[in-house]
Amino acid sequence: MILFWILMWSVLGVSRSKPASPHILFIVTDDLGWNDVGFHNPDIISPNIDALARKGTILNNSYVQPLCSPSRAAIMTGVFPYRYGLSHMVITDRQDVCVPTNMTMFPKILKAHGYSTHMIGKWHMGFCKWDCTPTYRGFDTFYGFYSPAIDYYTKQIDNGFDFRDNENVDKAVVGGYMTDQLADRVNKIINENNPDNPLFMFIAFNSVHDPLQVPQPYLDKYPNIRDKNRRFISGMVTSLDDNIGRITKTLKDKGMFNDTIIVFTSDNGGWTYFGGNNWPLRGGKLTIFEGGTRVPAFVHAPMLKEGKGKIYNGMIHAVDWFPTLLKAAGIASHDEKLDGVDQWDAIKSMTKSKRTEFVYNLDYHPFPLQGQAAIRLKDYKLIEGFPGTHQCWYQPDHPYQGPNLTYTDFFYPSECLVSWVEGQKTDKYLFNLKSKHLLIHS
């Protein structure tokens, strides 16, 4: 009799229905380098991230901007940051600047199509007026901070406090470890969400951005790493991984996992000065070499059957996520002109990318004096101006940064660190990235 009713339940379709559109979790890590995850580097302990990547589709040519604010803006607007004045460095706490409020951000469109939208973690797209902040840009809720980086425990930056629950200052978070607290809020939102209602969360972990802080048990997992910064980065990745594992479990317990698209990406390459590593790519954060702009990324979604367990080598840029995820959500079109192209069908069918070119950066600002620009066309990459400060290839076991470097070491020339203000020489590089040949350097 019990078996009969189970069969009838299935035949009549009275089991829980799927949401009209898939849930979307967009996870952005901060300063995570190419070689800072287990699916690229077996020395890193990140089993939960690795499982999602290897059971999903690893994006082998996923690009972002070389710094935090521009990358986040590119994701949220689908437009290259140089078009609206955000190609130069990052938005600081004292600037009267934000992503232009006349530009529509991705969550606003999702919200108009029935999604519940939530921002958790680091904003860093400007907060000079309320209209610039998350709950005015399409998010139902915000739990996090506005600044470039804060202390993981005190939530302080430059003697000021920065953590909010929606628009309200939240000092109850003081003393807790921020990566754990952000994951706690993600799990709370998942548990309170009706699985039949589509959910979008932009989860912007501060990890592994400095200050380098992590509970001691995570440092103890890496006793053989000699360099202090590299050991902290490794421990922070493992802490991040544990929390992503917790989020994944909550999705499964809630019955939402099989209806969820999970996107994972870093916002720029690893910052080599603080122990991040992009081997075998050249350079790191602050540079327009590959190490600063090509990042670890993947998509995990049950509907990506062709790409399950595979590596997608097609070119994709941060601006593409806007139209790509609109397509995945079943939203047919968007009226505003975008630089991003819809890559959903290409990834879904493991076919050729729709993108053949993109702008790495275009910055005419007089600091650096010679500007900074790079463009990609198929296999060719042209750099003109100042490529960036960290210009070498850094192996993970080489103490190239170390705890003994000083502020002066960072800003003045050495073997691998080039000053922003070193003369006015214009560098020009032309690479064939497929053959890995430098064709021109002048």
Side-chain angles (χ1 to χ4, degrees), residues 48 187 190-191 242-257:
N48 297 295
N187 285 337
I190 294 171
N191 279 319
D242 280 352
N243 282 291
I244 289 177
R246 290 173 54 215
I247 293 168
T248 302
K249 182 178 184 302
T250 303
L251 286 171
K252 291 177 178 178
D253 291 345
K254 189 72 173 178
M256 294 168 57
F257 184 72

Side-chain angles (χ1 to χ4, degrees), residues 5-35:
W5 284 112
I6 291 174
L7 290 172
M8 288 299 293
W9 191 277
S10 176
V11 170
L12 294 174
V14 285
S15 58
R16 184 185 68 78
S17 61
K18 290 186 177 182
S21 298
H23 308 297
I24 302 171
L25 269 64
F26 199 109
I27 301 174
V28 179
T29 60
D30 205 334
D31 293 359
L32 189 73
W34 182 265
N35 204 39

Side-chain angles (χ1 to χ4, degrees), residues 212-230:
L212 303 185
Q213 298 171 317
V214 72
Q216 185 63 39
Y218 289 104
L219 294 177
D220 294 342
K221 293 178 182 292
Y222 297 93
N224 297 321
I225 295 181
R226 295 172 297 163
D227 182 82
K228 179 181 177 182
N229 287 353
R230 185 64 187 162

Side-chain angles (χ1 to χ4, degrees), residues 23-26 115-121 134-135 139-144 163-166 180-205 246-256 260:
H23 308 297
I24 302 171
L25 269 64
F26 199 109
Y115 271 81
S116 173
T117 59
H118 306 272
M119 163 77 207
I120 302 96
T135 52
F139 287 104
D140 292 322
T141 70
F142 171 62
Y143 183 77
F163 203 93
R164 291 178 183 264
D165 191 340
N166 293 318
D180 297 338
Q181 293 170 316
L182 296 179
D184 287 343
R185 178 53 63 98
V186 172
N187 285 337
K188 182 176 185 291
I189 292 170
I190 294 171
N191 279 319
E192 292 177 353
N193 185 70
N194 182 337
D196 295 337
N197 296 331
L199 173 68
F200 172 68
M201 283 195 281
F202 189 74
I203 308 166
F205 285 105
R246 290 173 54 215
I247 293 168
T248 302
K249 182 178 184 302
T250 303
L251 286 171
K252 291 177 178 178
D253 291 345
K254 189 72 173 178
M256 294 168 57
T260 299

Side-chain angles (χ1 to χ4, degrees), residues 304 306 312 323-324 327-328 341-354:
L304 296 179
E306 288 294 321
Y312 182 69
T324 298
K327 177 66 173 292
V341 295
D342 169 19
Q343 302 271 27
W344 184 245
D345 289 338
I347 297 172
K348 193 173 180 179
S349 59
M350 294 295 286
T351 53
K352 189 176 181 180
S353 169
K354 292 184 179 180

